[in-house]
Amino acid sequence: MSDTGQHDPEFDQQWAELLHADVEFADNPEPRCPCVLLLDTSGSMRGEPIQALAEGLAVFREELLKDSLARRRVEIAIVTFGGVVQVVQDFVTVDRFQVPLLAAEGLTPMGTATLKGLDLIEERKQRYKANGVTYYRPWVFLITDGAAEGEPPHVLHQAAGRVRAEEAAKRIAFFSVGVEGADLGQLAAMAARPPLKLRGLRFIDLFVWLSRSTQQVANSRVGDQVALPPVDWGSL
């Protein structure tokens, strides 16, 4: 209700979101392991690559659902960048996650997508803190088959600087994967951790690894060092 006595739909929506968050965390007070997937859906991913990526996401969901603790602790958000940047899935626990419909088109605004993913994490952290929920270091997982285009050059530079600062402060763990055709040099400049080159279109193997890694984190205590499984789907 606005001060004029009329309904304000935006105000109502904000309240609905806050109430939903309170209920969400009251029903499930488990520590959260947030994971943001930044997915390249530009035109060059059309056909077999985008199909393989969608199949990998489906396996990711299936594998995580097998772990009762990961199902309640791992939260997934997805940002796509193909022509435009879209949050196609805001943070949800795995039991509420549905694989989005992916369409390949447009250019590759990778820097803009990275900044959006980092913003999502900051917003989610504030929700955790407001509801007294502890959380593991968030993961950001970038997958691309090209190089940044369709955005001003300074945007990627800004994104890389922010990723490096967040990594140095141990506020995120940033991983990048280059599909065939990706500019690995550009990815290497994004963060301290070297990019991995995907072997062929082994998205299923990649997402099985990611599910096992997040399960191991979710089954640890917040702040613990966790050894990740060996990577057999990519190379440096």
Side-chain angles (χ1 to χ4, degrees), residues 140-195:
V140 183
F141 216 85
L142 170 67
I143 300 175
T144 180
D145 75 336
E149 54 182 354
E151 62 187 1
H154 75 270
V155 175
L156 186 65
H157 180 74
Q158 179 187 356
R162 191 168 161 195
V163 166
R164 286 181 171 272
E166 293 289 292
E167 278 260 42
K170 299 189 183 302
R171 288 192 288 262
I172 64 168
F174 187 91
F175 302 83
S176 59
V177 177
V179 185
E180 186 65 41
D183 185 337
L184 296 180
Q186 193 174 81
L187 290 180
M190 288 286 290
R193 189 177 286 105

Side-chain angles (χ1 to χ4, degrees), residues 98-174:
Q98 297 296 324
V99 177
L101 182 63
L102 301 178
E105 58 187 352
L107 298 178
T108 316
M110 184 163 63
T112 306
T114 301
L115 292 171
K116 183 61 179 178
L118 296 176
D119 287 344
L120 283 178
I121 287 171
E122 283 306 308
E123 292 165 8
R124 196 59 175 170
K125 284 181 181 178
Q126 293 307 313
R127 284 285 182 89
Y128 295 152
K129 292 171 183 175
N131 287 276
V133 173
T134 56
Y135 57 90
Y136 302 86
R137 189 195 306 189
W139 282 30
V140 183
F141 216 85
L142 170 67
I143 300 175
T144 180
D145 75 336
E149 54 182 354
E151 62 187 1
H154 75 270
V155 175
L156 186 65
H157 180 74
Q158 179 187 356
R162 191 168 161 195
V163 166
R164 286 181 171 272
E166 293 289 292
E167 278 260 42
K170 299 189 183 302
R171 288 192 288 262
I172 64 168
F174 187 91

Side-chain angles (χ1 to χ4, degrees), residues 161-220:
R162 191 168 161 195
V163 166
R164 286 181 171 272
E166 293 289 292
E167 278 260 42
K170 299 189 183 302
R171 288 192 288 262
I172 64 168
F174 187 91
F175 302 83
S176 59
V177 177
V179 185
E180 186 65 41
D183 185 337
L184 296 180
Q186 193 174 81
L187 290 180
M190 288 286 290
R193 189 177 286 105
L196 288 166
K197 182 178 180 181
L198 186 69
R199 291 178 180 151
L201 294 175
R202 294 179 60 181
F203 284 112
I204 288 179
D205 294 334
L206 182 161
F207 280 108
V208 167
W209 176 89
L210 183 57
S211 69
R212 289 174 181 167
S213 299
T214 49
Q215 284 176 57
Q216 286 183 269
V217 172
N219 281 274
S220 69

